Amino acid sequence: DVKVTQSSRYLVKRTGEKVFLECVQDMDHENMFWYRQDPGLGLRLIYFSYDVKMKEKGDIPEGYSVSREKKERFSLILESASTNQTSMYLCASSLRGAGGETQYFGPGTRLLVL
Amino acid sequence: RKEVEQDPGPFNVPEGATVAFNCTYSNSASQSFFWYRQDCRKEPKLLMSVYSSGNEDGRFTAQLNRASQYISLLIRDSKLSDSATYLCVVTPSNTGKLIFGQGTTLQVKP
């Protein structure tokens, strides 16, 4: 069974703080993704990675960065948190190639920036 | 225009009812299509893929109309446990990226 875990279910941070969201998958998937989900807007892709040390911008990368030093771990970084980054953050992973269309999601991190 | 559009609902139906959701996509080059299900305060999970010829999985039937660029999901004999948000998902290319609709909320009442 694929397992994707995220470091926190709930986080409260202050404006200007640096925030790290960690995601780990145990299925040796090449692809990893970070989304945010907001009411009325659905899931929006922030960044993704096809391999270790590789990263690609998604649709809304501004204000975020990522790190993929190991295959199983994909970190999302908010360099200086702002209130408009209050959201649900979801990490996902998938295989490269055949079967890669199925993404497996972590449980999500609800981030509140005050 | 959003790349994938869904009616957000909510759809409120009684148990046993048949309910259908539609979804339209804007990129005619889209390659693969899916329905994901998301329970309240949980992560999305794959419900089923959508094939050109249409496909069925128990009480769920998915259809794809490439000419009109829409996808549908039909749920027969609705159960209380079907209450969830159903996300229409499209892959624009072979990149592994998914484009999500905002979801349609279904509430099945006793």
Side-chain angles (χ1 to χ4, degrees), chain A residues 9-10 33 35 37 40-43 45 48 50 90 100-103 105-107 110, chain B residues 2 32 34 36 38 41-44 46 87 91 94-102:
Chain A
R9 294 300 300 272
Y10 301 94
F33 306 83
Y35 296 89
Q37 186 174 29
L41 297 176
L43 274 85
L45 182 63
F48 59 104
Y50 291 134
L90 288 156
E101 302 91 352
T102 303
Q103 290 188 7
F105 284 83
R110 288 191 178 275
Chain B
K2 291 181 183 175
S32 303
F34 308 90
Y36 274 65
Q38 186 172 23
R41 306 184 78 81
K42 299 277 191 177
E43 71 274 20
L46 178 67
L87 303 168
T91 60
N94 247 351
T95 62
K97 287 173 62 176
L98 302 180
I99 308 296
F100 288 81
Q102 69 171 43

Side-chain angles (χ1 to χ4, degrees), chain B residues 54-72:
Chain B
N55 50 296
E56 198 172 297
D57 183 2
R59 297 181 292 107
F60 297 81
T61 301
Q63 298 272 1
L64 168 64
N65 185 320
R66 282 191 184 270
S68 301
Q69 294 179 211
Y70 81 78
I71 305 148
S72 64

